[in-house]
Amino acid sequence: MIKAPTGTRDILPEDVKTWQRIEKTAGEIFTLYGYEEIRTPIFESTSLFQRSIGEATDIVEKEMYTFKDKGGRSLTLRPEGTAPVVRAYLEHQFPQRDQFQKFYYIGPMFRYERPQKGRFRQFHQVGIEVFGPNHPMIDVEVIAIQWRIFKELDVSDLKVKINSLGCEKCRPGYRKALIEHLKKNRERLCETCQRRLERNPLRVLDCKNPGCQQVVREGPKITDYLCNDCREHMKKVTDGLESLKIPYEVDPFLVRGLDYYTKTVFEFIHTALGAQNTVSAGGRYDNLVEELGGPEIPGIGFALGIERLVLILNEKGLPEEKKPLYFIPLGEEAIKEGIKIMEELRDSGIPVIWTGKVASIKAQLRQANKRGADRVLILGESEIENREIKLKDMKEGREEVIKWKDLKEHLRYYF
RNA sequence: GUGGGCGUAGCUCAAUUGGCAGAGCGCUGGACUGUGGCUCCAGUGGCUGUGGGUUCAAGUCCCAUCGCCCACCCCA
């Protein structure tokens, strides 16, 4: 039997309900803040991701689905959503139309990783990108949007972590100090961190090895190396969060895996997620637009992992939904008449379900009961003769006979 | 890419030192001829992930392979 490829999964009807709830909530909240949806292709030129995410990152080095098309072009299934939105923003000359733009997106992303809890090769994100503003209060707003989504979905046990990664002026100084400190303590670091020290020293900061964490804690903090501009920016962000009563934690060792981030970075962490506990994350990227060939326009955004949020939401029950009305025909004649009656009901927006099966009344009632029907319509020979139909209340067991011509009016009461 | 755990019915899981592949749930029908749920009864269910090997005999032992889960790594 052919199965879905490793790291991919089917989202079955019972799960789709949760997905739609997330998509609807997020979409409505984005609209509330003036974001508009943008849809970009699922694959892009490989160079877009190499230039934006960074050549030395794990994503670009070993996690991308890259292939050549029949014309010899190198293409890559998008591993994240920010770079494509920036590309579209520039390609369609948005900077010349308006220096201020808010976008949101939703869709599948692809990374070649070993699957585990909360991690898939095809996964889905909703996210936003803002271009133009460099005011720290927009950072606060971006965090507030996520906070609102989680609140609306009734998610608790969330932790918000924030940090500043500085800018091109102050980050090099910190980086130098960090490398110096790590080199001095090289023998206390785990093997992977000794390798990271050469390639991507900032990554040592979020190693889970206790020995490495100890070395990191003894070392320099980025927050002590920020330039005046970055320090002030950070202060305004934390002040803003406090004014909105959004609880947060400054984690001076929080880093991100994509090279383009500057200044504010943040993560929403949930305890029920296992090792992959980040449900939503993002940050400011003041140089990315320029690095991709555009003007000097700052930006900020976040991405939220839908699978991970579903994992959290499934710990709780789903809200009750309206129960459908089932049509139970007894015999061919009843089906012939029933199809007309059902269409008329649907004309008035009344939902009616017929299984399409020819079966005994007992089997059909059992079926309707199993699916949670509140009410069923039974049509048999005697009813057809009198141009009537029987409406049965499944909870009470009560039945009433209704003339075809009165049915619509009668049911309107329930729907 | 690395490590650990696991693959038996649609689902959850049994099967003694290698010895007839089972149960519960589900599904279908009946008891109740046009009335569901509860109960009782019957039926339906399988290339034991796949391919080799050892053996009189393999779900069980060995090798390979694929897949799933968890973790490392990395990240949403």
Side-chain angles (χ1 to χ4, degrees), chain A residues 16-27:
Chain A
V16 166
K17 290 190 178 84
T18 309
W19 281 68
Q20 288 175 338
R21 195 170 146 233
I22 293 169
E23 289 161 12
K24 185 165 173 281
T25 305

PDB file of all heavy atoms in Angstrom, chain A residues 16-27:
ATOM      1  N   VAL A  16      -9.731  18.709  10.534  1.00  0.00           N
ATOM      2  CA  VAL A  16      -9.868  19.936   9.747  1.00  0.00           C
ATOM      3  C   VAL A  16     -10.663  20.994  10.517  1.00  0.00           C
ATOM      4  O   VAL A  16     -10.403  22.193  10.393  1.00  0.00           O
ATOM      5  CB  VAL A  16     -10.516  19.630   8.377  1.00  0.00           C
ATOM      6  CG1 VAL A  16     -10.985  20.906   7.698  1.00  0.00           C
ATOM      7  CG2 VAL A  16      -9.529  18.909   7.477  1.00  0.00           C
ATOM      8  N   LYS A  17     -11.592  20.550  11.353  1.00  0.00           N
ATOM      9  CA  LYS A  17     -12.384  21.494  12.141  1.00  0.00           C
ATOM     10  C   LYS A  17     -11.481  22.373  12.999  1.00  0.00           C
ATOM     11  O   LYS A  17     -11.674  23.580  13.073  1.00  0.00           O
ATOM     12  CB  LYS A  17     -13.370  20.743  13.034  1.00  0.00           C
ATOM     13  CG  LYS A  17     -14.476  20.079  12.259  1.00  0.00           C
ATOM     14  CD  LYS A  17     -15.574  19.553  13.179  1.00  0.00           C
ATOM     15  CE  LYS A  17     -16.705  18.934  12.384  1.00  0.00           C
ATOM     16  NZ  LYS A  17     -16.487  17.541  11.996  1.00  0.00           N
ATOM     17  N   THR A  18     -10.502  21.765  13.650  1.00  0.00           N
ATOM     18  CA  THR A  18      -9.565  22.537  14.468  1.00  0.00           C
ATOM     19  C   THR A  18      -8.739  23.488  13.607  1.00  0.00           C
ATOM     20  O   THR A  18      -8.516  24.639  13.968  1.00  0.00           O
ATOM     21  CB  THR A  18      -8.622  21.586  15.235  1.00  0.00           C
ATOM     22  OG1 THR A  18      -9.410  20.603  15.902  1.00  0.00           O
ATOM     23  CG2 THR A  18      -7.799  22.342  16.250  1.00  0.00           C
ATOM     24  N   TRP A  19      -8.296  22.995  12.463  1.00  0.00           N
ATOM     25  CA  TRP A  19      -7.509  23.825  11.557  1.00  0.00           C
ATOM     26  C   TRP A  19      -8.295  25.054  11.111  1.00  0.00           C
ATOM     27  O   TRP A  19      -7.785  26.168  11.106  1.00  0.00           O
ATOM     28  CB  TRP A  19      -7.089  23.013  10.329  1.00  0.00           C
ATOM     29  CG  TRP A  19      -5.931  22.120  10.615  1.00  0.00           C
ATOM     30  CD1 TRP A  19      -5.932  21.035  11.432  1.00  0.00           C
ATOM     31  CD2 TRP A  19      -4.599  22.260  10.111  1.00  0.00           C
ATOM     32  NE1 TRP A  19      -4.674  20.481  11.463  1.00  0.00           N
ATOM     33  CE2 TRP A  19      -3.846  21.197  10.657  1.00  0.00           C
ATOM     34  CE3 TRP A  19      -3.976  23.153   9.243  1.00  0.00           C
ATOM     35  CZ2 TRP A  19      -2.487  21.026  10.373  1.00  0.00           C
ATOM     36  CZ3 TRP A  19      -2.636  22.972   8.952  1.00  0.00           C
ATOM     37  CH2 TRP A  19      -1.907  21.923   9.523  1.00  0.00           C
ATOM     38  N   GLN A  20      -9.555  24.813  10.744  1.00  0.00           N
ATOM     39  CA  GLN A  20     -10.369  25.935  10.259  1.00  0.00           C
ATOM     40  C   GLN A  20     -10.603  26.964  11.361  1.00  0.00           C
ATOM     41  O   GLN A  20     -10.647  28.160  11.099  1.00  0.00           O
ATOM     42  CB  GLN A  20     -11.704  25.409   9.713  1.00  0.00           C
ATOM     43  CG  GLN A  20     -11.524  24.695   8.394  1.00  0.00           C
ATOM     44  CD  GLN A  20     -12.800  24.058   7.884  1.00  0.00           C
ATOM     45  OE1 GLN A  20     -13.709  23.794   8.667  1.00  0.00           O
ATOM     46  NE2 GLN A  20     -12.860  23.783   6.601  1.00  0.00           N
ATOM     47  N   ARG A  21     -10.721  26.465  12.577  1.00  0.00           N
ATOM     48  CA  ARG A  21     -10.916  27.372  13.699  1.00  0.00           C
ATOM     49  C   ARG A  21      -9.689  28.282  13.857  1.00  0.00           C
ATOM     50  O   ARG A  21      -9.807  29.495  14.062  1.00  0.00           O
ATOM     51  CB  ARG A  21     -11.130  26.541  14.969  1.00  0.00           C
ATOM     52  CG  ARG A  21     -11.696  27.318  16.111  1.00  0.00           C
ATOM     53  CD  ARG A  21     -12.102  26.375  17.223  1.00  0.00           C
ATOM     54  NE  ARG A  21     -11.879  27.033  18.501  1.00  0.00           N
ATOM     55  CZ  ARG A  21     -11.182  26.526  19.498  1.00  0.00           C
ATOM     56  NH1 ARG A  21     -10.621  25.337  19.380  1.00  0.00           N
ATOM     57  NH2 ARG A  21     -11.029  27.199  20.600  1.00  0.00           N
ATOM     58  N   ILE A  22      -8.516  27.694  13.742  1.00  0.00           N
ATOM     59  CA  ILE A  22      -7.280  28.471  13.850  1.00  0.00           C
ATOM     60  C   ILE A  22      -7.172  29.478  12.712  1.00  0.00           C
ATOM     61  O   ILE A  22      -6.895  30.660  12.918  1.00  0.00           O
ATOM     62  CB  ILE A  22      -6.055  27.533  13.839  1.00  0.00           C
ATOM     63  CG1 ILE A  22      -6.039  26.673  15.103  1.00  0.00           C
ATOM     64  CG2 ILE A  22      -4.759  28.327  13.697  1.00  0.00           C
ATOM     65  CD1 ILE A  22      -5.029  25.536  15.069  1.00  0.00           C
ATOM     66  N   GLU A  23      -7.431  28.994  11.483  1.00  0.00           N
ATOM     67  CA  GLU A  23      -7.289  29.863  10.318  1.00  0.00           C
ATOM     68  C   GLU A  23      -8.265  31.035  10.381  1.00  0.00           C
ATOM     69  O   GLU A  23      -7.912  32.172  10.081  1.00  0.00           O
ATOM     70  CB  GLU A  23      -7.531  29.051   9.043  1.00  0.00           C
ATOM     71  CG  GLU A  23      -6.405  28.067   8.750  1.00  0.00           C
ATOM     72  CD  GLU A  23      -6.809  26.955   7.794  1.00  0.00           C
ATOM     73  OE1 GLU A  23      -7.890  27.050   7.174  1.00  0.00           O
ATOM     74  OE2 GLU A  23      -6.046  25.970   7.674  1.00  0.00           O
ATOM     75  N   LYS A  24      -9.489  30.742  10.808  1.00  0.00           N
ATOM     76  CA  LYS A  24     -10.516  31.775  10.875  1.00  0.00           C
ATOM     77  C   LYS A  24     -10.153  32.806  11.944  1.00  0.00           C
ATOM     78  O   LYS A  24     -10.193  34.010  11.693  1.00  0.00           O
ATOM     79  CB  LYS A  24     -11.861  31.118  11.197  1.00  0.00           C
ATOM     80  CG  LYS A  24     -13.050  32.052  11.189  1.00  0.00           C
ATOM     81  CD  LYS A  24     -14.354  31.227  11.153  1.00  0.00           C
ATOM     82  CE  LYS A  24     -15.584  32.080  11.312  1.00  0.00           C
ATOM     83  NZ  LYS A  24     -15.887  32.476  12.696  1.00  0.00           N
ATOM     84  N   THR A  25      -9.789  32.317  13.117  1.00  0.00           N
ATOM     85  CA  THR A  25      -9.432  33.230  14.215  1.00  0.00           C
ATOM     86  C   THR A  25      -8.261  34.118  13.831  1.00  0.00           C
ATOM     87  O   THR A  25      -8.305  35.336  14.008  1.00  0.00           O
ATOM     88  CB  THR A  25      -9.057  32.406  15.466  1.00  0.00           C
ATOM     89  OG1 THR A  25     -10.135  31.528  15.783  1.00  0.00           O
ATOM     90  CG2 THR A  25      -8.770  33.305  16.647  1.00  0.00           C
ATOM     91  N   ALA A  26      -7.213  33.513  13.294  1.00  0.00           N
ATOM     92  CA  ALA A  26      -6.026  34.288  12.930  1.00  0.00           C
ATOM     93  C   ALA A  26      -6.381  35.322  11.863  1.00  0.00           C
ATOM     94  O   ALA A  26      -6.034  36.499  11.991  1.00  0.00           O
ATOM     95  CB  ALA A  26      -4.921  33.364  12.444  1.00  0.00           C
ATOM     96  N   GLY A  27      -7.106  34.883  10.840  1.00  0.00           N
ATOM     97  CA  GLY A  27      -7.462  35.781   9.750  1.00  0.00           C
ATOM     98  C   GLY A  27      -8.255  36.983  10.243  1.00  0.00           C
ATOM     99  O   GLY A  27      -7.994  38.127   9.856  1.00  0.00           O
TER     100      GLY A  27
END
